Amino acid sequence: MNTPRIRVGIDVGGTFTDAVAVDATTHELLGQVKVPTSHRHEDGVAHGIVEALDRLLAQTGCAPADVAFLAHGTTQATNALLEGDVATVGLIGIGAGPGAVLTRRLAAFGRLELAPGKRLPLAYAHVTDPQDTSAVRSAVERLTDEGAQVLVASQPFSVDRPEGELAVLEAARPYGLPMTAAHEITSLYGLHKRTRTAVVNAAILPRMLATADLVDASIAKAGVTAPLMVMRCDGGVMALDEMCRRPLLTVLSGPAAGVAGALMRERVSEGVFLETGGTSTDISVVRRGKVAVRHATIVGRTSYLNALDVRTVGVGGGSMVRIGQGRVTGVGPRSAHIAGLPYACFASPGQLRDATVDTVRPMDGDPADYAVIDAAGGRFAVTMTCAANALGRVPEGDFARCDPETARAAIAPLAAVLGTDVTTAATRILDAGVAQVKAVVDAMIRDYRLDEDTAVLVGGGGGAASVTPHLALTSAMEGRIARHNEVISPIGVALALVREQVERIVPDASQEQILAIRAEAERAVVAQGAAAEGVEVEVTVDPQTNTVRAVATGATELRTQDRAHRADDTERLRAAAASLKTDPTAVQVLAGTAAHTVYGTRTRRRLRPARRPIRIVDMDGVVRHHAPDALVATTTVAGAPEALARLVGESTSYGDGGVRAPALRLLLGSRIADLSGVLDPQPLLALARSELRSRAADEPVVAVLEVRS
């Protein structure tokens, strides 16, 4: 019997380490295990990772050599910052004259508060001339005398002139401390923010290096030859060497793993992902097939760390009900887990006998209005999960499923106190909890201008059924619970793509400079193991901030879906029609490649030109892109430069806001090349030509253009 090649994803949480094995070809879930996270073991969390891997291989019958991809996500960096358990940073400021004034102010980072009562441990030294090796070494010795365990060098304008920072690191190398230069962490201007980002990165560097060495050695000892990857906070993975350089990229990576699972496994192209645990729900956005990211706030300050835009609401499957004056007054933020109580719906009927309702104060300082049930079997919490089961919202086989009749029996005493029936009481509980989630979801839909006609709600996490189905009902949006929702995070780790982002501030960037930044991002993911022929690069040029950003993604091996699961023409047409909210007979095939089909219809508007909404559907029947009005044209690689120049010229807008080229996407082979982030026509056409390079002259190309107002 042949065992399949597998992709392994391991999610190291605060309490448990979850691991999954996914078929590398079909993405079918083959196995899953859960082990306690080994914080107190002499090898730290590395021990739990290896234990989870061993159990997973035994469960699936796979050998270490069958592992084609191995990645793990970790909360270690996040926890270190939250707990203030970090290394002492030795910061070397560089500069003379006015520059010295700027760098000396960086010593104030020692006042940054990581946790209540715990400040960032920092020692500062200054050097005027970075080429003066003797002065640099004297500064390093002063810093080590003050307890520095890691060094950071920072100089004004080092983004453009890094030689000073590099000279300081070279002179300090004999001391054997981990080191980093501020320009290596981010290439954006802003001495203060750039250095702060580098200092926080350095504070967690020694601990992360030690863990990385242990995990890498343990994985190698286990016989796995696949390179170890680590989850990033923007939804991708990076090579272990890259993590050792920029461990800060792992901060906030927990929520990123879940949304990566929704993106890759659930094939979400537009929507909101809600990962619900026992105490809270993390909410994030997928827009046009990409996760929404922004500069993260770290230790109470904005940073240059690009992380998933995740917003957390204190409502989860275990959130307790609050009552007063004969009504439900709220849900959460305390959960049954915090209160140390079992869920009432998971009790046996006998344990719920002779139940009465009481109210408690879960923790000192909390209001004493949290409802509990005192019954024959002890005290139980009434939770969101109890209400969802009582209403039949938790599907068969779900992690949080219980006997609906037992759940109704758990709600019945509370319903009597509220003077209503069980169904109404359960509905009021979910209404109160989900209202808090809905407020955030609505705000994110507005912030990212999601198309509400096509956006879907996808629930993940063990508590998904307590929030997502009810939210879908109250918001009139399509909603579903992700398959294997309780392990969506490790699935996301297993399926995540290698990702790298390069940002530069380049005033009036030329075509050559934009293409160079694109090429740098592409080389970076290839260097980390991505297959070169599958790399996709999205370039954005922001004329207001002069920022050029290139985001490259790629798989560590070319992954092909099982052909047996491909949708036929009828299924793809139905998917497009459903997304367009029209009858299939009104939908036309406008263009296509071997991997994608473009469908469109026409909508008439009074006294205004008709619009042509389109949908791009892939071979699996998933809507990969949608536009309310677009122009679609088919050409070949040989004819594309001339055709695109004409189309872009005809579709470019001119006005008070400047020149605005159309949002352009090219369907090439198996890819959708997204060039919509560029507003200037000439760089846009240059990027399009770079996408066409090395392709056969007769290969078909489909251009989809959206005119910007």
Side-chain angles (χ1 to χ4, degrees):
M1 172 177 163
N2 292 326
T3 55
R5 296 276 282 169
I6 60 173
R7 296 175 66 90
V8 173
I10 302 174
D11 184 44
V12 182
T15 305
F16 290 104
T17 294
D18 291 294
V20 298
V22 177
D23 188 299
T25 301
T26 66
H27 295 181
E28 176 190 357
L29 181 65
L30 301 178
Q32 61 187 82
V33 299
K34 181 188 294 285
V35 302
T37 298
S38 51
H39 294 293
R40 292 184 172 83
H41 192 274
E42 61 181 355
D43 290 340
V45 298
H47 176 77
I49 290 173
V50 175
E51 182 183 359
L53 176 62
D54 288 344
R55 291 192 189 183
L56 196 62
L57 293 176
Q59 183 187 103
T60 58
C62 292
D66 296 322
V67 178
F69 175 91
L70 173 64
H72 79 279
T74 176
T75 60
Q76 188 174 22
T78 304
N79 292 343
L81 292 175
L82 289 174
E83 297 164 7
D85 185 13
V86 297
T88 299
V89 179
L91 174 60
I92 301 177
I94 308 165
V101 176
L102 294 174
T103 51
R104 289 184 191 280
R105 291 175 181 170
L106 302 178
F109 289 149
R111 294 198 293 268
L112 283 175
E113 189 173 63
L114 300 178
K118 288 191 176 183
R119 298 190 182 277
L120 177 71
L122 181 129
Y124 180 83
H126 192 89
V127 295
T128 302
D129 180 5
Q131 305 297 332
D132 185 342
T133 301
S134 176
V136 172
R137 291 183 176 174
S138 294
V140 173
E141 288 169 6
R142 289 199 304 275
L143 293 174
T144 54
D145 287 344
E146 293 181 48
Q149 300 161 280
V150 58
L151 298 177
V152 174
S154 183
Q155 183 177 23
F157 308 109
S158 62
V159 171
D160 298 320
R161 299 194 299 273
E163 296 82 6
E165 291 181 357
L166 295 175
V168 166
L169 296 189
E170 184 60 34
R173 198 170 303 281
Y175 293 88
L177 294 177
M179 300 181 297
T180 188
H183 79 273
E184 294 175 330
I185 304 304
T186 174
S187 296
L188 295 179
Y189 292 150
L191 175 68
H192 199 267
K193 187 182 290 188
R194 182 172 68 249
T195 307
R196 185 173 65 242
T197 304
V199 163
V200 175
N201 180 81
I204 58 176
L205 187 57
R207 169 184 276 206
M208 298 298 285
L209 285 173
T211 298
D213 288 343
L214 282 170
V215 173
D216 195 33
S218 299
I219 295 299
K221 186 177 179 181
V224 175
T225 56
L228 179 64
M229 311 294 284
V230 184
M231 194 73 197
R232 295 165 52 114
C233 54
D234 56 10
V237 291
M238 57 184 165
L240 191 64
D241 287 348
E242 189 60 32
M243 192 282 291
C244 290
R245 190 169 73 89
R246 294 185 290 170
L248 192 60
L249 287 173
T250 67
V251 172
L252 307 176
S253 62
V259 74
L263 187 66
M264 300 297 295
R265 185 174 175 81
E266 294 298 312
R267 300 302 191 90
V268 180
S269 60
E270 187 95 351
V272 179
F273 177 66
L274 306 104
E275 186 162 15
T276 303
T279 303
S280 63
T281 296
D282 290 329
I283 306 169
S284 48
V285 161
V286 174
R287 184 175 185 271
R288 298 193 171 186
K290 299 177 179 64
V291 296
V293 298
R294 64 178 179 180
H295 284 159
T297 297
I298 305 292
V299 297
R301 305 287 194 282
T302 57
S303 70
Y304 280 143
L305 174 69
N306 284 292
L308 181 76
D309 183 1
V310 58
R311 305 180 194 179
T312 301
V313 179
V315 173
S319 293
M320 296 173 66
V321 182
R322 299 169 67 179
I323 59 173
Q325 299 180 338
R327 63 187 181 88
V328 174
T329 59
V331 169
R334 298 301 181 208
S335 68
H337 310 272
I338 299 298
L341 296 173
Y343 293 23
C345 61
F346 293 132
S348 67
Q351 290 175 313
L352 294 176
R353 195 180 65 251
D354 303 327
T356 59
V357 176
D358 197 0
T359 56
V360 299
R361 194 188 312 271
M363 297 185 69
D364 290 342
D366 288 345
D369 61 356
Y370 286 84
V372 296
I373 292 176
D374 289 321
R379 173 166 283 181
F380 301 92
V382 182
T383 67
M384 291 279 287
T385 296
C386 298
N389 273 292
L391 293 176
R393 301 277 168 77
V394 186
E396 195 74 45
D398 190 274
F399 180 78
R401 169 87 174 187
C402 73
D403 178 4
E405 288 306 313
T406 302
R408 292 179 68 83
I411 297 291
L414 181 61
V417 169
L418 299 176
T420 188
D421 58 85
V422 168
T423 298
T424 302
T427 301
R428 289 177 183 173
I429 292 169
L430 293 186
D431 283 344
V434 166
Q436 301 173 59
V437 178
K438 186 175 185 300
V440 176
V441 169
D442 289 346
M444 297 188 83
I445 289 174
R446 289 193 303 270
D447 290 349
Y448 288 99
R449 299 179 181 178
L450 296 188
D451 184 342
E452 293 189 55
D453 288 339
T454 57
V456 298
L457 301 169
V458 178
S466 65
V467 171
T468 301
H470 197 72
L471 177 60
L473 284 173
T474 58
S475 63
M477 291 179 66
E478 178 189 345
R480 66 175 184 267
I481 297 174
R483 291 169 294 163
H484 307 293
N485 54 292
E486 75 281 5
V487 287
I488 193 69
S489 286
I491 288 174
V493 176
L495 297 181
L497 299 173
V498 182
R499 181 179 171 112
E500 188 55 79
Q501 176 168 303
V502 176
E503 281 186 305
R504 297 281 188 275
I505 294 177
V506 187
D508 300 318
S510 66
Q511 297 178 33
E512 292 74 17
Q513 289 171 314
I514 294 171
L515 290 171
I517 292 170
R518 181 198 183 282
E520 182 180 347
E522 184 173 11
R523 288 195 302 272
V525 294
V526 171
Q528 294 182 61
E533 55 269 46
V535 172
E536 297 185 13
V537 186
E538 179 186 1
V539 177
T540 303
V541 181
D542 187 337
Q544 293 185 322
T545 61
N546 291 314
T547 302
V548 181
R549 179 182 301 111
V551 180
T553 54
T556 51
E557 82 284 343
L558 291 180
R559 296 178 295 181
T560 56
Q561 293 288 318
D562 185 346
R563 295 282 172 181
H565 296 293
R566 292 290 164 95
D568 60 23
D569 292 345
T570 301
E571 290 174 305
R572 293 197 296 276
L573 175 62
R574 286 175 180 165
S579 179
L580 289 162
K581 298 196 179 324
T582 190
D583 190 90
T585 58
V587 179
Q588 296 177 296
V589 175
L590 303 180
T593 63
H596 297 93
T597 306
V598 184
Y599 297 90
T601 186
R602 191 175 293 276
T603 60
R604 301 191 180 280
R605 300 182 295 172
R606 267 188 167 186
L607 305 178
R608 298 176 68 184
R611 292 191 312 170
R612 168 140 272 181
I614 64 100
R615 301 292 185 263
I616 301 176
V617 182
D618 70 10
M619 296 301 289
D620 296 314
V622 177
V623 177
R624 284 304 190 184
H625 177 69
H626 55 86
D629 190 19
L631 170 68
V632 179
T634 300
T635 181
T636 62
V637 168
E642 181 180 348
L644 290 175
R646 176 178 54 81
L647 290 167
V648 168
E650 294 171 350
S651 304
T652 296
S653 303
Y654 300 87
D656 294 340
V659 178
R660 295 171 66 83
L664 174 64
R665 290 170 177 82
L666 299 178
L667 275 59
L668 293 161
S670 62
R671 297 171 48 203
I672 301 175
D674 186 349
L675 308 179
S676 62
V678 182
L679 297 177
D680 191 310
Q682 294 312 310
L684 172 63
L685 292 170
L687 283 168
R689 290 192 296 271
S690 73
E691 293 287 350
L692 299 169
R693 193 178 301 129
S694 77
R695 291 184 174 272
D698 60 350
E699 183 178 343
V701 178
V702 176
V704 178
L705 301 93
E706 298 171 62
V707 177
R708 304 183 209 258
S709 59

